[in-house]
């Protein structure tokens, strides 16, 4: 007796997204499309088919110290106008390190959401989503309902017209030529059933473009992966190659905008040398001369700047040497970085702020990590670890500097932070443990002084899938960078014409460990201040004041 196996309703993954789960699993709220929901009824805000134009008053205070030590505070008001282009452009995301853990996880996440591919896990059916994204999974308070008095919140991504992540056109470079479906399997981040279903879509993207490989800048243990590199040793030729890749990708997909994002290996720090990379002209000459201190990430940054597309650095190395920043200023091309802030450092920026704001004095912060993915493998080399250590170690500086009651700025510290005055001892350790894969372990100890010489110790153990935390940050950074290319401003008092924003996108700092800021500007690492600043800016583009927690109507008769 023979039997016939019915296969018509069984998905091999090759017929996705036609799966049985799609009809029963709805689109997740973080991936849903919503019409632009906000209409501001104000004389400060006007709408045309092309632009949202908003008047905004930036209120601050000027503080002087008088000869007798008294502080004189003078309120200030500066009037600005913002103009935001309403049409969302067709946008491409080109990732350097496309075949790595972050690159493949991001591509698979977008494809799963785009095709609403659900999958089975040991806990049940899982639907795709964008949880972890500030723009897609976090909300902002607009005001209160006059009838109920209840607060009204909307997704941050709905405040202004932004690219939906499902619409991003994906591509990029990698020193490994493995096709994306196989690179995803190598990364071992995503559930097998999701990989099975999304593999055909990943394969359709193809293999990454050949990338730049200068062995001196990344760990020697990465050499085995470097089978997809741009030929030759002339860095100017490499620059031209990357520029042509950007132009070709843009033309092939009929794109209006492209964002270039570095999510490749951490490089060693480049030496800052006079006449080599300290000015734009010197840097361009050094690229032409193939100088040894010009890193791959700097070549990608320069290529992006010269092509007029935003470049974001998601790793800790000093890609943005002074010459890169000057070139961005000259070309009025956007740059942002450095180093994705996803787990331990994000928590540290919250907890350190909490302790200092509570009047508790952290004396030491000891941070230990181990992980087993390729990022950990690369960081096992000392020069690359030093880049990461620098970006992780500065995260508490502004919070310490804000409280001279606890930390004396005139005291000379015992370590290399002497120029910062009194400062907590801060140690960062990262170890490579292959067995744990992408599941990073982070252990922190906060040792603090409390009342009358007492001591408090807080220990935190944090286990997280590294790439699943990093991927939403890449999306947020790329989408915000694109939005900021469509925002112009003018200073009303100066009667200026509308101009683009300053090229260094410090508004992206919420997602970054070591935020790049305008020269001469203090870095803000406080997570709450970073978010409040971004929220206030997005509201300002609608002519709305920033959120106030005064809630005056509940505190008065």
């Amino acid at each position: 007796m023979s039997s016939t196996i019915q296969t018509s309703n069984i998905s091999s993954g090759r017929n996705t997204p036609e799966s049985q789960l799609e009809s029963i699993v709805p689109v997740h709220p973080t991936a849903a499309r919503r019409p632009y929901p906000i209409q501001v009824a104000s004389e400060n805000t006007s709408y045309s088919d092309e632009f949202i134009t908003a008047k905004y008053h930036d209120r601050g205070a000027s503080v002087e110290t008088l000869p007798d030590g008294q502080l004189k505070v003078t309120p200030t008001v500066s009037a600005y106008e913002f103009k935001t282009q309403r049409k969302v452009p067709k946008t491409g995301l080109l990732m350097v390190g496309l075949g790595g853990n972050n690159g493949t996880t991001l591509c698979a996440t977008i494809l799963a959401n785009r095709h609403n591919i659900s999958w089975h896990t040991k806990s049940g059916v899982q639907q795709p989503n964008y949880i972890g994204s500030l723009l897609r999974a976090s909300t902002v308070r607009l005001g209160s309902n006059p009838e109920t008095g209840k607060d009204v919140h909307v997704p941050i991504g709905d405040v202004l017209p932004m690219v939906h992540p499902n619409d991003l056109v994906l591509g990029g470079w990698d020193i490994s030529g493995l096709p994306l479906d196989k690179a995803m399997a190598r990364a071992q981040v995503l559930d097998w059933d999701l990989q099975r279903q999304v593999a055909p879509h990943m394969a359709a993207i193809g293999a990454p473009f050949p990338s730049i490989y200068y062995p001196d800048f990344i760990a020697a243990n990465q050499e085995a992966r470097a089978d997809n590199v741009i030929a030759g040793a002339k860095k100017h030729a490499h620059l031209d190659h990357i520029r042509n890749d950007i132009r070709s990708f843009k033309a092939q997909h009929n794109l209006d905008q492209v964002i270039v994002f570095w999510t490749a290996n951490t490089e060693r720090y480049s030496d800052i040398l006079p006449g080599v990379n300290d000015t734009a002209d010197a840097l361009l000459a050094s690229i032409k001369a193939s100088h040894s201190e010009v890193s791959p990430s700097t070549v990608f940054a320069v290529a992006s700047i010269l092509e007029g597309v935003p470049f974001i650095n998601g790793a800790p190395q000093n890609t943005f040497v002074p010459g890169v920043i000057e070139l961005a200023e000259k070309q009025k091309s956007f740059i942002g970085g450095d180093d994705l802030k996803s787990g331990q450092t994000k928590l540290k920026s919250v907890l350190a702020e909490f302790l200092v704001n509570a009047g508790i004095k952290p004396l030491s912060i000891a941070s230990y990590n181990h992980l087993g993915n390729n990022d950990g493998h690369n960081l096992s080399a000392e020069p690359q670890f030093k880049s990461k250590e620098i970006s992780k170690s500065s995260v508490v500086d502004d919070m310490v500097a804000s409280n001279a009651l606890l930390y004396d700025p005139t005291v000379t510290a015992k370590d290399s932070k002497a120029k910062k005055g009194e400062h907590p001892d801060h140690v960062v350790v990262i170890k490579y443990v292959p067995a744990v894969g992408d599941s990073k372990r982070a252990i922190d100890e906060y040792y603090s002084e409390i009342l009358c010489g007492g001591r408090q110790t807080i220990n935190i153990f944090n286990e997280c899938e590294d790439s699943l935390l990093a991927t939403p940050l890449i999306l947020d950074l790329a989408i915000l960078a694109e939005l900021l290319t469509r925002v112009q401003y003018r200073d009303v008092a100066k009667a200026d014409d509308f101009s683009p924003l300053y090229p260094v996108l410090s508004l992206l700092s919420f997602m970054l460990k070591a935020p790049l800021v305008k020269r001469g500007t203090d870095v803000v690492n406080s997570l709450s201040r970073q978010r409040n600043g971004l929220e206030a800016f997005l509201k300002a583009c609608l002519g709305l004041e920033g959120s106030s927690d005064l809630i005056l109507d509940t505190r008065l008769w």
Side-chain angles (χ1 to χ4, degrees), residues 128-195:
N129 59 61
Y130 288 115
I131 289 176
S133 163
L134 177 73
L135 300 180
R136 301 298 308 178
S138 182
T139 63
V140 59
R141 179 182 178 271
L142 283 182
S144 58
N145 185 307
E147 295 180 358
T148 65
K150 300 295 185 183
D151 288 345
V152 176
H153 294 83
V154 297
I156 292 181
D158 287 355
V159 175
L160 290 171
M162 300 187 199
V163 176
H164 192 292
N166 288 5
D167 297 334
L168 289 169
V169 180
L170 303 169
W173 304 264
D174 203 288
I175 61 172
S176 169
L178 206 61
L180 286 196
D181 55 334
K182 293 180 173 57
M184 173 180 63
R186 177 181 61 189
Q188 298 180 353
V189 173
L190 300 169
D191 288 330
W192 176 84
D193 192 37
L194 172 58
Q195 290 191 47

Side-chain angles (χ1 to χ4, degrees), residues 69-315:
Q70 183 180 6
L71 297 179
K72 178 183 176 183
V73 182
T74 305
T76 62
V77 181
S78 301
Y80 295 94
E81 272 191 280
F82 292 99
K83 185 168 70 172
T84 306
Q85 190 176 54
R86 300 181 72 176
K87 182 184 177 183
V88 176
K90 185 178 181 183
T91 302
L93 175 58
L94 282 170
M95 289 176 283
V96 191
L98 178 65
N101 286 28
N102 289 346
T104 55
T105 301
L106 183 141
C107 290
T109 298
I110 288 178
L111 291 167
N113 278 285
R114 183 184 296 170
H115 299 294
N116 198 23
I117 299 172
S118 298
W119 63 99
H120 288 282
T121 72
K122 63 183 180 181
S123 302
V125 175
Q126 176 65 49
Q127 66 184 132
N129 59 61
Y130 288 115
I131 289 176
S133 163
L134 177 73
L135 300 180
R136 301 298 308 178
S138 182
T139 63
V140 59
R141 179 182 178 271
L142 283 182
S144 58
N145 185 307
E147 295 180 358
T148 65
K150 300 295 185 183
D151 288 345
V152 176
H153 294 83
V154 297
I156 292 181
D158 287 355
V159 175
L160 290 171
M162 300 187 199
V163 176
H164 192 292
N166 288 5
D167 297 334
L168 289 169
V169 180
L170 303 169
W173 304 264
D174 203 288
I175 61 172
S176 169
L178 206 61
L180 286 196
D181 55 334
K182 293 180 173 57
M184 173 180 63
R186 177 181 61 189
Q188 298 180 353
V189 173
L190 300 169
D191 288 330
W192 176 84
D193 192 37
L194 172 58
Q195 290 191 47
R196 176 186 65 81
Q197 294 186 74
V198 83
H201 302 286
M202 295 286 281
I205 296 176
F209 304 143
S211 193
I212 299 172
Y213 177 56
Y214 304 153
D216 179 48
F217 279 91
I218 59 176
N221 57 40
Q222 299 299 300
E223 183 179 2
R225 293 171 72 118
D227 59 8
N228 188 46
V229 301
I230 301 171
K234 294 183 177 179
K235 296 187 178 183
H236 191 269
H238 296 167
L239 175 66
D240 290 341
H241 189 113
I242 298 304
R243 293 184 67 180
N244 184 65
D245 283 344
I246 295 170
R247 287 194 298 266
S248 299
F249 183 77
K250 192 172 183 179
Q252 177 187 352
H253 297 284
N254 194 28
L255 300 173
D256 303 307
Q257 182 61 275
V258 170
I259 311 296
V260 177
F261 199 105
W262 180 277
T263 184
N265 280 320
T266 294
E267 299 171 334
R268 68 164 176 84
Y269 256 47
S270 298
D271 292 334
I272 308 300
L273 302 173
V276 173
N277 50 20
D278 58 335
T279 68
D281 289 342
L283 177 60
L284 292 174
S286 296
I287 293 174
K288 193 168 187 178
S290 298
H291 194 282
S292 61
E293 283 306 306
V294 177
S295 68
S297 64
T298 292
V299 174
F300 274 98
V302 170
S304 303
I305 291 167
L306 294 177
E307 289 302 311
V309 302
F311 177 86
I312 310 296
N313 177 34

